[in-house]
Amino acid sequence: MSLFARAWNLIQFPPMSNRLLTLLRASRDIQQTQRLDREAMLAVQERRWRAMVRHALNVSPFYRRRLAGLDPEHCALSDIPPLTKPELLEHWDEIVADPRLQSAPMEKYVADPSNWSRLFHNRWMVCRSSGTTGLAITFPQPVEALDWMHAAHYVRNGTSANEPNRARWYPGRPRQRLVSIACMQTPCASSGIYNTRPWVGDLFLKHHLLDVGTPWPEMIEQLNRIQPQVLAAFASVLSCLARAQLDGQLHLDFSGPRACIFSGGDGLTPGIRALCRKAFGIEPLNGYGSTETTTVARQLRGTDHLMLMEDLVVYEPVDEHERPVAEGELSHHALVTPLINRDVPLLRYRISDRARPGPIQPGWPFRTLIEVLGRTAMTFTFRVPEPRRVNGVDLMRAWYDDTRVVEYQLRQLSPSVLHVAFIPQPGEDGAALAAELSADLRALLDEAGCRTVRCDVVPVPDLEKHPLSGKVERFIPLNEE
């Protein structure tokens, strides 16, 4: 959307003018909070989650039943029972704070593709997840929450809390060219976030939104013509672009001092990082979030891990029994409590991502995530003949840090057949890697009691993408139903 069009929207819809004030307030608050010590930041976080509990009790019949007898002023966060996605979907109309967000009107709204780039009732970005964890969800994010997210990314762009790396604006200064490659064939968060950006962003960046489903020759032509200095895309798309750059089809230059590549939406493997470094001279900066939470963590320049936005979301990596995992230990799943979306209060909402928490980020009051490996839900059930369950992350764990493999996809073809496709790093012997990977997987399957499961491993030039989201799903169990 052009700067003129955004200004016209501002004139048409006066409430949108409040977005600039929200951005300014959020930027100031975010900057002040990140300069606190760890203990003071956690006190801010606690005040916010207690306020969210009070709010949920006030607006939601579901939470009033669920949390009956709980004192929001003195309870521990762990006293609140986790909320699962099936529970959220079942009780949706009793959880949301505004009757306009009940499921029937929202589903009717997103069924019309002309609404995907608009705000629902001029207030909410409504997006739909791809359902790769088994259940799709249609979810609204109020503009206030989106603007806090945009402010956090703008402010937290330096190497420390006191050294921001923010763009400056003055009349006549050339704007950086930003290309976002996102899914535009469904109402996805990846495109919705860019379609509902605050107009003030156009003072700093000239934004181009490309559909991830664009035919490949056209995608290459547009990128070569635009010559972005900032690029945002799924990790699996960056893998394809890096190979096109190395093959001479793409001619992008990221040598400028503020040039950057951002990744999010699917897993950024060490192999993709290495490939981008070889092709573009820089590595992508990773991001981590979900449809329900927007941003959870982001990677800072000069680091190789994620830093949690703990003043905007409470993130609890836990084991199978909801107990916190220690630093460096891989979680079974995580519980998240977003602190900036009051219209859909989520208290300890369960997401199936497996993450490894790290230490406090030097120069910041926030904890880090060493890695986010995948989802607990991506578990294969083999029949040998009795059922045996094996998590995909556990099968590929030994290969996660191996840069010889750019990316991979494990697809279950039958109750006793697993097909593994992978893209080798340019210059690597694909057949030799296939033999090595096949031997490792064979040993892990045998150890798991799956000796009769056949495992085929093949190198491929490209991996199959999800038909709706455009992402590469790395673990695809068999849907026996």
PDB file of all heavy atoms in Angstrom, residues 20-32:
ATOM      1  N   LEU A  20      -0.430   5.981  15.816  1.00  0.00           N
ATOM      2  CA  LEU A  20       0.847   6.663  15.990  1.00  0.00           C
ATOM      3  C   LEU A  20       1.125   6.899  17.476  1.00  0.00           C
ATOM      4  O   LEU A  20       2.243   6.695  17.946  1.00  0.00           O
ATOM      5  CB  LEU A  20       0.842   7.985  15.225  1.00  0.00           C
ATOM      6  CG  LEU A  20       2.134   8.812  15.338  1.00  0.00           C
ATOM      7  CD1 LEU A  20       3.338   8.012  14.867  1.00  0.00           C
ATOM      8  CD2 LEU A  20       2.002  10.110  14.542  1.00  0.00           C
ATOM      9  N   LEU A  21       0.100   7.309  18.224  1.00  0.00           N
ATOM     10  CA  LEU A  21       0.278   7.501  19.661  1.00  0.00           C
ATOM     11  C   LEU A  21       0.611   6.180  20.353  1.00  0.00           C
ATOM     12  O   LEU A  21       1.457   6.130  21.250  1.00  0.00           O
ATOM     13  CB  LEU A  21      -0.983   8.113  20.265  1.00  0.00           C
ATOM     14  CG  LEU A  21      -1.355   9.516  19.782  1.00  0.00           C
ATOM     15  CD1 LEU A  21      -2.661   9.974  20.415  1.00  0.00           C
ATOM     16  CD2 LEU A  21      -0.232  10.501  20.096  1.00  0.00           C
ATOM     17  N   THR A  22      -0.061   5.101  19.929  1.00  0.00           N
ATOM     18  CA  THR A  22       0.236   3.781  20.505  1.00  0.00           C
ATOM     19  C   THR A  22       1.673   3.389  20.235  1.00  0.00           C
ATOM     20  O   THR A  22       2.375   2.885  21.117  1.00  0.00           O
ATOM     21  CB  THR A  22      -0.716   2.718  19.926  1.00  0.00           C
ATOM     22  OG1 THR A  22      -2.060   3.068  20.233  1.00  0.00           O
ATOM     23  CG2 THR A  22      -0.409   1.343  20.513  1.00  0.00           C
ATOM     24  N   LEU A  23       2.135   3.617  19.004  1.00  0.00           N
ATOM     25  CA  LEU A  23       3.517   3.280  18.657  1.00  0.00           C
ATOM     26  C   LEU A  23       4.513   4.062  19.505  1.00  0.00           C
ATOM     27  O   LEU A  23       5.514   3.510  19.984  1.00  0.00           O
ATOM     28  CB  LEU A  23       3.761   3.555  17.173  1.00  0.00           C
ATOM     29  CG  LEU A  23       3.211   2.521  16.193  1.00  0.00           C
ATOM     30  CD1 LEU A  23       3.162   3.105  14.796  1.00  0.00           C
ATOM     31  CD2 LEU A  23       4.057   1.253  16.209  1.00  0.00           C
ATOM     32  N   LEU A  24       4.231   5.344  19.699  1.00  0.00           N
ATOM     33  CA  LEU A  24       5.145   6.168  20.493  1.00  0.00           C
ATOM     34  C   LEU A  24       5.166   5.711  21.950  1.00  0.00           C
ATOM     35  O   LEU A  24       6.235   5.587  22.562  1.00  0.00           O
ATOM     36  CB  LEU A  24       4.740   7.634  20.389  1.00  0.00           C
ATOM     37  CG  LEU A  24       4.919   8.283  19.011  1.00  0.00           C
ATOM     38  CD1 LEU A  24       4.310   9.678  18.990  1.00  0.00           C
ATOM     39  CD2 LEU A  24       6.394   8.340  18.634  1.00  0.00           C
ATOM     40  N   ARG A  25       3.965   5.462  22.507  1.00  0.00           N
ATOM     41  CA  ARG A  25       3.903   4.994  23.895  1.00  0.00           C
ATOM     42  C   ARG A  25       4.581   3.642  24.040  1.00  0.00           C
ATOM     43  O   ARG A  25       5.330   3.400  24.990  1.00  0.00           O
ATOM     44  CB  ARG A  25       2.450   4.910  24.359  1.00  0.00           C
ATOM     45  CG  ARG A  25       1.801   6.252  24.647  1.00  0.00           C
ATOM     46  CD  ARG A  25       0.514   6.060  25.441  1.00  0.00           C
ATOM     47  NE  ARG A  25      -0.449   5.254  24.710  1.00  0.00           N
ATOM     48  CZ  ARG A  25      -1.411   5.744  23.935  1.00  0.00           C
ATOM     49  NH1 ARG A  25      -1.511   7.058  23.777  1.00  0.00           N
ATOM     50  NH2 ARG A  25      -2.255   4.952  23.315  1.00  0.00           N
ATOM     51  N   ALA A  26       4.289   2.730  23.102  1.00  0.00           N
ATOM     52  CA  ALA A  26       4.877   1.396  23.175  1.00  0.00           C
ATOM     53  C   ALA A  26       6.394   1.457  23.046  1.00  0.00           C
ATOM     54  O   ALA A  26       7.121   0.781  23.786  1.00  0.00           O
ATOM     55  CB  ALA A  26       4.288   0.505  22.082  1.00  0.00           C
ATOM     56  N   SER A  27       6.902   2.273  22.119  1.00  0.00           N
ATOM     57  CA  SER A  27       8.355   2.388  21.936  1.00  0.00           C
ATOM     58  C   SER A  27       9.029   2.892  23.210  1.00  0.00           C
ATOM     59  O   SER A  27      10.081   2.383  23.618  1.00  0.00           O
ATOM     60  CB  SER A  27       8.666   3.324  20.764  1.00  0.00           C
ATOM     61  OG  SER A  27       8.159   2.812  19.556  1.00  0.00           O
ATOM     62  N   ARG A  28       8.418   3.897  23.835  1.00  0.00           N
ATOM     63  CA  ARG A  28       8.997   4.427  25.069  1.00  0.00           C
ATOM     64  C   ARG A  28       8.977   3.374  26.181  1.00  0.00           C
ATOM     65  O   ARG A  28       9.974   3.169  26.881  1.00  0.00           O
ATOM     66  CB  ARG A  28       8.213   5.667  25.514  1.00  0.00           C
ATOM     67  CG  ARG A  28       8.775   6.334  26.773  1.00  0.00           C
ATOM     68  CD  ARG A  28       7.921   7.494  27.205  1.00  0.00           C
ATOM     69  NE  ARG A  28       6.560   7.064  27.507  1.00  0.00           N
ATOM     70  CZ  ARG A  28       5.568   7.892  27.798  1.00  0.00           C
ATOM     71  NH1 ARG A  28       5.764   9.208  27.783  1.00  0.00           N
ATOM     72  NH2 ARG A  28       4.360   7.419  28.074  1.00  0.00           N
ATOM     73  N   ASP A  29       7.830   2.677  26.331  1.00  0.00           N
ATOM     74  CA  ASP A  29       7.717   1.663  27.376  1.00  0.00           C
ATOM     75  C   ASP A  29       8.692   0.515  27.154  1.00  0.00           C
ATOM     76  O   ASP A  29       9.358   0.040  28.081  1.00  0.00           O
ATOM     77  CB  ASP A  29       6.287   1.131  27.412  1.00  0.00           C
ATOM     78  CG  ASP A  29       6.064   0.113  28.523  1.00  0.00           C
ATOM     79  OD1 ASP A  29       6.467  -1.049  28.338  1.00  0.00           O
ATOM     80  OD2 ASP A  29       5.507   0.477  29.578  1.00  0.00           O
ATOM     81  N   ILE A  30       8.797   0.053  25.910  1.00  0.00           N
ATOM     82  CA  ILE A  30       9.682  -1.065  25.572  1.00  0.00           C
ATOM     83  C   ILE A  30      11.133  -0.692  25.849  1.00  0.00           C
ATOM     84  O   ILE A  30      11.910  -1.492  26.387  1.00  0.00           O
ATOM     85  CB  ILE A  30       9.460  -1.473  24.100  1.00  0.00           C
ATOM     86  CG1 ILE A  30       8.111  -2.195  23.964  1.00  0.00           C
ATOM     87  CG2 ILE A  30      10.592  -2.354  23.584  1.00  0.00           C
ATOM     88  CD1 ILE A  30       7.633  -2.329  22.539  1.00  0.00           C
ATOM     89  N   GLN A  31      11.501   0.533  25.491  1.00  0.00           N
ATOM     90  CA  GLN A  31      12.871   0.971  25.733  1.00  0.00           C
ATOM     91  C   GLN A  31      13.168   1.067  27.232  1.00  0.00           C
ATOM     92  O   GLN A  31      14.240   0.656  27.694  1.00  0.00           O
ATOM     93  CB  GLN A  31      13.111   2.317  25.055  1.00  0.00           C
ATOM     94  CG  GLN A  31      14.575   2.713  24.983  1.00  0.00           C
ATOM     95  CD  GLN A  31      14.795   3.850  24.002  1.00  0.00           C
ATOM     96  OE1 GLN A  31      13.991   4.770  23.929  1.00  0.00           O
ATOM     97  NE2 GLN A  31      15.865   3.782  23.233  1.00  0.00           N
ATOM     98  N   GLN A  32      12.222   1.587  28.000  1.00  0.00           N
ATOM     99  CA  GLN A  32      12.425   1.690  29.444  1.00  0.00           C
ATOM    100  C   GLN A  32      12.531   0.308  30.085  1.00  0.00           C
ATOM    101  O   GLN A  32      13.388   0.077  30.943  1.00  0.00           O
ATOM    102  CB  GLN A  32      11.272   2.475  30.073  1.00  0.00           C
ATOM    103  CG  GLN A  32      11.272   3.955  29.728  1.00  0.00           C
ATOM    104  CD  GLN A  32      10.028   4.668  30.241  1.00  0.00           C
ATOM    105  OE1 GLN A  32       9.034   4.032  30.607  1.00  0.00           O
ATOM    106  NE2 GLN A  32      10.074   6.004  30.259  1.00  0.00           N
TER     107      GLN A  32
END
